[in-house]
Amino acid sequence: MANPVQSENALPGTTAWNARANNYASIFASQTSIAPGGELDFHVSTPYRYRIVVYRLGWYGGAGGRVVACAPSCLGDEAGQTPKDVDPPSVQPLRAHWPVTDVIHSDASWTSGYYIAEAVQTNAGAAGTVATTYFVVRQPPDDPPSQILVQVPVNTWEAYNDWGGRSLYNFLSPRASRVSFLRPFAGNAQSPLWIELQMVRWLERSGYDVSYQTDADTDADPAGLLSHRLLIDNGHDEYWTLAMRGGWDAALAGGTNLAFMGANDDYWNIRYEDGGTTIYSEKSMYDPNPDPTQKTAMFREIGRPECRLEGVEHGDITVFDHPLDYTVTAAGAADPWLAGTGLQAGDTIAGVVGREHDSIVPGCVPAPVTVLFHYANPLGGPLNADAVKWTAPGGGRVFATGAYAFTLALDAYRSDGTLGPQFPVGVDRDAPVDPRVQRFMANALDDLTRPAPPARVLRVRRDGRWRVRTGWPDDGRVVSRLVYRVLLRDGSRTLVCSGHAPCYPPPAAAPGTYDFEVSYVDRWGAVSAPAVSSTWTRR
C-alpha cells in the first residue's frame, strides 16, 4: 500500500509556485507549523489587489508543487492594505503588528510537508508578482509514525532574517539578541529553496515514508523523535534549544539513526520566549543565566560540542570565488554505501562543500569514525571538511555530510534568489546533480532506515535442547526477530524461528557445519543486517 507521501505525489502538480518575487508586498503567518485541520492566520501588506495561493512542495512528477488552498478563492481577489504598525529597530524583538487579513483552514487531506504561501498581486501593473512565506504541516498525531522524520530549520531562517532592521547578525544592522517569527522574511533570511528543497524533492521522488516538523515542534515534543527510525536534519540548522539537543541525544542512544544533510548544525543554544514566537540568544557566555550549562552560547562552550552527536563540527566560514569539491577517501571507496556508485578513491564530487563546512574531531565520539569524503582547505586545519559515518554504542548510525551544499547533488532545482550582499552569488549553489551521489544516498538510506542488528548471537544448551539467544533490544520499534540456520558448505538458509518467542531450532536435517544468522524486524518491515553466531557441526 502506498504511504501518504507516495499518494500525495501521484496527484497532479504545477510549476506555478515558482513565481517571480517582488518588493510590492509582504506576507507572514502567525504559525510556523500546523497539524492537518489546523488554522493559518496570514498578515498581508500590499497596495494592490491580491489573492493568497498555498502550495505543498514536493516532487509531483518534477513540477514541484500542488495547490491546496486559496483565499478568498483561486480566481477571486481582495483589496490590499498597507498597515504601518511596526516596532522600530531599537525594540527587541522587532515585530510587525499587522492585523490578520486572511484565515485559511486546512483539512485532513493536507499531507505533512513543506508549504509555500504566496500573496499574488492581481492589479495590471503588478499582476502575477508575489510575496512569499513558508510553513510546515506536521504528521497527524493519530497516524502511525513515519519511518523518516525531517526536521525543518525555521530557527535559522529567522535568525538570519533582518526584516525591519534586526537579526541575530550584524550584516546590515546592529545584532539583536531577540528576534520574532511575527514578521515577513526579507533581506538575508535563509530560504528553504536554497539547499533544503532538493532533499525534499529527492526523498519524495524516491517514495520514502517521510514526515516533517520544525525545530519548534521538536522542542515541544523531543521524546517523539524516538517514534521514527531515521531523523534527517535538513539544510543549515544552526540554532537549537537544549530540549532539541536532548531529544536528538536520547534518540541516538535509543538506536535511532541520524543524518545531518547540511553543515554548521546544532551550533548555537537558544531559548524560546513569548509563547514560542521569539528566539533569544546572547550568542555569548556573557548570558546572565547563572547556570553555565544553559547559557545561550555555542553548544561546545556549554559542554555539549556538536561533534558528540554528529562526529564532525563547524570550524569557520571560508568564502572563495569558486565552488569547493569533495574527494572520495580510500576508506570511503571501500565502504558499502558507495557500492554501485562508480566512485573510486580520489574521485571528486563537484561543488558540494559550500562556504560553511564541518571537519572531523578525533576522539570526540566513543566509536570509530569513517571519513567517506574529504575537502582539504588551502588554509588547513579546522577549515577542512569531512563527510562521516559512525555507529553509536546503542546501535544508532550517524551520517553527517559536513558540507553546506551537499543536497544540490541530489536534485536539479535551483533558486534564483541571491545570498545577500556579503556572499558571492552562486558560489554555494553551483554544484551539478550527480547520479553517483544519488546512488550513494539511496545506499545510505537503505542502511539508515533499518534497525540495528543484534549485539550478539549465542547458541546455548537449555533443558536438553539448543537455544539461539540474542536478548531483546530496548527498542520498542522492533517487533520481530528472524533466525536462519545457514549451511556453510553452500550458503543455503533455512528460517527456523520468527517473532518474539524463545528460539529452539529443530535439529538440522543433514550433517554439516552451520551457523545462525539473526536479524531484527521493525514496525515498518525493515530488516536489520544479520548478526552471526559461532559455527557448530552436526556429525
Side-chain angles (χ1 to χ4, degrees):
M1 187 174 75
N3 64 52
V5 163
Q6 290 172 327
S7 298
E8 172 67 33
N9 278 272
L11 298 173
T14 177
T15 60
W17 63 273
N18 197 21
R20 179 167 59 90
N22 69 87
N23 295 319
Y24 301 146
S26 295
I27 180 174
F28 69 94
S30 298
Q31 300 83 12
T32 58
S33 74
I34 59 169
E39 184 176 278
L40 287 154
D41 299 321
F42 288 103
H43 311 251
V44 177
S45 172
T46 178
Y48 298 97
R49 297 188 67 82
Y50 73 96
R51 71 176 64 93
I52 292 180
V53 184
V54 178
Y55 303 86
R56 185 186 182 276
L57 302 180
W59 176 242
Y60 302 102
R66 183 176 76 86
V67 176
V68 297
C70 301
S73 70
C74 290
L75 296 178
D77 61 9
E78 61 186 292
Q81 54 182 289
T82 54
K84 304 295 185 183
D85 190 4
V86 177
D87 290 324
S90 59
V91 171
Q92 295 192 40
L94 182 152
R95 301 183 182 93
H97 298 278
W98 299 347
V100 174
T101 55
D102 303 87
V103 179
I104 290 181
H105 301 271
S106 69
D107 59 45
S109 69
W110 288 33
T111 303
S112 179
Y114 279 68
Y115 285 69
I116 184 172
E118 297 181 346
V120 183
Q121 277 69 227
T122 58
N123 287 66
T129 59
V130 303
T132 61
T133 194
Y134 307 93
F135 64 94
V136 170
V137 173
R138 305 185 296 272
Q139 187 173 33
D142 296 329
D143 280 10
S146 61
Q147 187 179 40
I148 300 173
L149 176 67
V150 173
Q151 180 171 282
V152 180
V154 296
N155 292 340
T156 306
W157 299 355
E158 197 58 62
Y160 282 89
N161 182 12
D162 62 6
W163 188 92
R166 280 294 188 173
S167 74
L168 294 186
Y169 292 86
N170 57 2
F171 296 141
L172 301 176
S173 58
R175 183 176 66 83
S177 58
R178 287 177 170 85
V179 292
S180 176
F181 286 107
L182 300 178
R183 56 187 184 139
F185 290 116
N188 292 293
Q190 176 175 293
S191 170
L193 306 185
W194 291 357
I195 57 171
E196 295 170 46
L197 185 57
Q198 292 77 11
M199 188 68 192
V200 173
R201 286 165 58 94
W202 183 81
L203 285 169
E204 299 202 0
R205 180 181 186 177
S206 303
Y208 289 102
D209 178 21
V210 59
S211 64
Y212 304 82
Q213 69 181 37
T214 68
D215 299 320
D217 298 322
T218 301
D219 176 85
D221 181 23
L225 299 177
L226 279 160
S227 299
H228 308 270
R229 174 56 63 202
L230 169 62
L231 307 179
I232 294 179
D233 194 27
N234 199 20
H236 174 42
D237 197 5
E238 190 173 347
Y239 292 82
W240 286 31
T241 65
L242 285 170
M244 290 172 59
R245 175 60 186 265
W248 280 72
D249 285 341
L252 180 58
T256 307
N257 302 320
L258 313 180
F260 296 88
M261 295 307 302
N264 191 203
D265 300 323
D266 179 30
Y267 189 68
W268 294 109
N269 176 33
I270 66 165
R271 68 170 181 260
Y272 295 121
E273 297 177 341
D274 302 323
T277 64
T278 296
I279 292 173
Y280 167 69
S281 182
E282 290 292 341
K283 301 178 78 169
S284 168
M285 290 298 285
Y286 288 109
D287 182 326
N289 190 320
D291 186 342
T293 67
Q294 297 186 13
K295 290 182 181 290
T296 53
M298 297 179 194
F299 273 97
R300 66 186 71 170
E301 292 179 306
I302 61 174
R304 303 182 76 167
E306 61 267 39
C307 61
R308 290 185 189 169
L309 185 64
E310 305 170 39
V312 292
E313 69 180 29
H314 182 58
D316 204 345
I317 297 175
T318 55
V319 182
F320 295 101
D321 61 356
H322 58 275
L324 311 178
D325 305 336
Y326 257 149
T327 300
V328 180
T329 66
D335 192 90
W337 286 6
L338 272 73
T341 64
L343 288 167
Q344 304 294 324
D347 288 349
T348 58
I349 302 172
V352 297
V353 175
R355 68 179 184 270
E356 296 189 69
H357 36 270
D358 305 339
S359 57
I360 190 169
V361 180
C364 188
V365 297
V369 177
T370 300
V371 177
L372 303 170
F373 314 123
H374 178 72
Y375 161 69
N377 191 302
L379 303 177
L383 299 178
N384 294 338
D386 296 292
V388 303
K389 63 180 289 192
W390 63 283
T391 300
R397 277 94 70 205
V398 179
F399 169 57
T401 70
Y404 177 85
F406 193 87
T407 57
L408 300 186
L410 299 177
D411 182 79
Y413 177 78
R414 297 294 181 267
S415 167
D416 61 0
T418 66
L419 291 173
Q422 77 280 14
F423 297 122
V425 175
V427 167
D428 294 302
R429 281 173 286 159
D430 286 350
V433 173
D434 192 329
R436 303 171 302 172
V437 178
Q438 292 174 324
R439 175 62 186 271
F440 163 80
M441 281 307 304
N443 292 345
L445 263 63
D446 181 64
D447 181 22
L448 294 171
T449 52
R450 299 171 184 268
R456 65 184 185 281
V457 178
L458 302 176
R459 186 176 61 91
V460 298
R461 192 77 170 173
R462 178 71 59 85
D463 302 327
R465 296 183 294 169
W466 288 108
R467 178 180 176 184
V468 176
R469 292 187 59 184
T470 62
W472 195 256
D474 293 331
D475 186 343
R477 297 158 294 192
V478 171
V479 296
S480 184
R481 172 175 55 187
L482 303 176
V483 182
Y484 288 88
R485 180 191 287 115
V486 181
L487 179 60
L488 300 187
R489 180 176 63 244
D490 59 11
S492 59
R493 303 165 77 244
T494 303
L495 180 65
V496 293
C497 296
S498 63
H500 193 176
C503 179
Y504 293 95
T513 300
Y514 298 84
D515 64 23
F516 290 100
E517 293 183 357
V518 184
S519 299
Y520 289 139
V521 183
D522 66 18
R523 65 173 61 135
W524 299 280
V527 181
S528 75
V532 182
S533 71
S534 58
T535 59
W536 63 287
T537 301
R538 183 174 186 272
R539 303 187 186 281

